[in-house]
Amino acid sequence: NEVVTEYTQGMACPRKFGIAELRRFKVRTRATQRLYEQGHKFGARFAYDRGQCVGRCFPGNECTCSLDCDEQYAQYGHVVGCNNFRDHYPFPAEDTQAPDGIWYSFPAAGRCADPTGDPSCTWSIEEAGGITLAELEALEPGKDQCCDGACTDFWSELFDPARTAWRVHKALALFRQKYPDEPRDLTVPCDFNRSLWYAEDSFKRRNPWDMEDGCMKERFITGVAQPYR
């Protein structure tokens, strides 16, 4: 949405951050023993901002900050996190046009070449191809949404779940066409159950970018990061 349509305010051209391609990756994961004993393959999906874990982020940009990350990683290891859109927790908190969507988080401290389930070796990653936005948009020519001389209707009805599912199908089909030896879909179900981790949730929620009380305050003070203007 924000990359190709500027939050539905018309076609974004040039694209945000110059993004022109969808990259796909193969990620292998292995739960730590502590997480496995709890019956989970995945932990909580934490948000990262400029490389800092800011915890679980809820509507209104209210986040539990690094204390949440530190406590959970100390207990379970640097495990991969996830959340199902359908669960409405922690975000998005309401129905979206992609009800089957899943977000994942990958703590850098858990990355390794061959996941073993050690607290510092829970996931690996490798390239699995890419498709360009131009290739996708060419599948549905149009006249109102234009960029670099090409017009498309691929992004029309942006908030319609059926149309969104159609876009996902088209993208997966294009990956399959370009990379016939790869699996069509690499999605892994998210099994995170917040009631097992947060039956009692005492973590304070704060705006990471609040200069007085935010998760990023120390980084602002030391000059490691600068606040958004």
Side-chain angles (χ1 to χ4, degrees):
N1 187 9
E2 63 182 286
V3 171
V4 297
T5 64
E6 295 185 306
Y7 295 106
T8 71
Q9 299 302 309
M11 178 67 78
C13 191
R15 305 297 166 76
K16 187 173 182 178
F17 301 134
I19 294 172
E21 188 175 14
L22 297 179
R23 302 298 300 172
R24 190 167 65 162
F25 300 90
K26 284 183 181 178
V27 178
R28 291 186 298 137
T29 69
R30 177 164 291 185
T32 60
Q33 185 65 29
R34 181 65 184 275
L35 188 65
Y36 178 79
E37 290 173 351
Q38 196 185 61
H40 278 157
K41 294 179 180 178
F42 297 99
R45 194 272 299 174
F46 292 136
Y48 285 79
D49 216 327
R50 298 190 181 181
Q52 177 172 324
C53 186
V54 294
R56 292 162 292 141
C57 289
F58 298 83
N61 203 32
E62 295 293 313
C63 304
T64 55
C65 295
S66 56
L67 179 61
D68 193 1
C69 311
D70 294 343
E71 287 195 10
Q72 305 308 336
Y73 287 151
Q75 183 174 5
Y76 296 103
H78 291 88
V79 297
V80 175
C82 67
N83 76 271
N84 295 299
F85 285 18
R86 287 188 183 276
D87 293 341
H88 300 164
Y89 179 92
F91 191 87
E94 56 188 24
D95 290 340
T96 73
Q97 66 269 37
D100 295 323
I102 305 173
W103 274 334
Y104 301 91
S105 59
F106 301 95
R111 183 178 178 180
C112 56
D114 187 15
T116 63
D118 182 88
S120 60
C121 185
T122 60
W123 64 279
S124 66
I125 187 171
E126 62 181 280
E127 290 271 359
I131 57 177
T132 67
L133 294 179
E135 288 172 329
L136 272 180
E137 292 167 349
L139 300 175
E140 188 79 354
K143 60 180 180 179
D144 296 324
Q145 302 170 20
C146 304
C147 188
D148 296 332
C151 300
T152 184
D153 284 336
F154 189 82
W155 309 109
S156 63
E157 301 177 75
L158 191 63
F159 293 104
D160 180 71
R163 182 74 175 178
T164 299
W166 173 86
R167 281 187 281 269
V168 172
H169 171 77
K170 290 294 185 181
L172 290 174
L174 189 53
F175 270 112
R176 186 59 180 271
Q177 177 182 332
K178 293 185 68 175
Y179 307 97
D181 295 331
E182 297 284 357
R184 180 179 183 274
D185 191 352
L186 299 176
T187 303
V188 176
C190 172
D191 68 352
F192 177 68
N193 182 348
R194 72 176 186 267
S195 65
L196 295 178
W197 276 37
Y198 299 107
E200 296 183 8
D201 190 353
S202 60
F203 292 96
K204 181 180 179 181
R205 300 178 185 181
R206 296 177 284 163
N207 182 339
W209 297 97
D210 187 292
M211 294 291 292
E212 301 297 325
D213 190 40
C215 311
M216 308 284 284
K217 179 181 178 181
E218 292 184 359
R219 301 189 84 187
F220 298 152
I221 293 174
T222 59
V224 173
Q226 296 297 317
Y228 286 122
R229 301 298 184 185

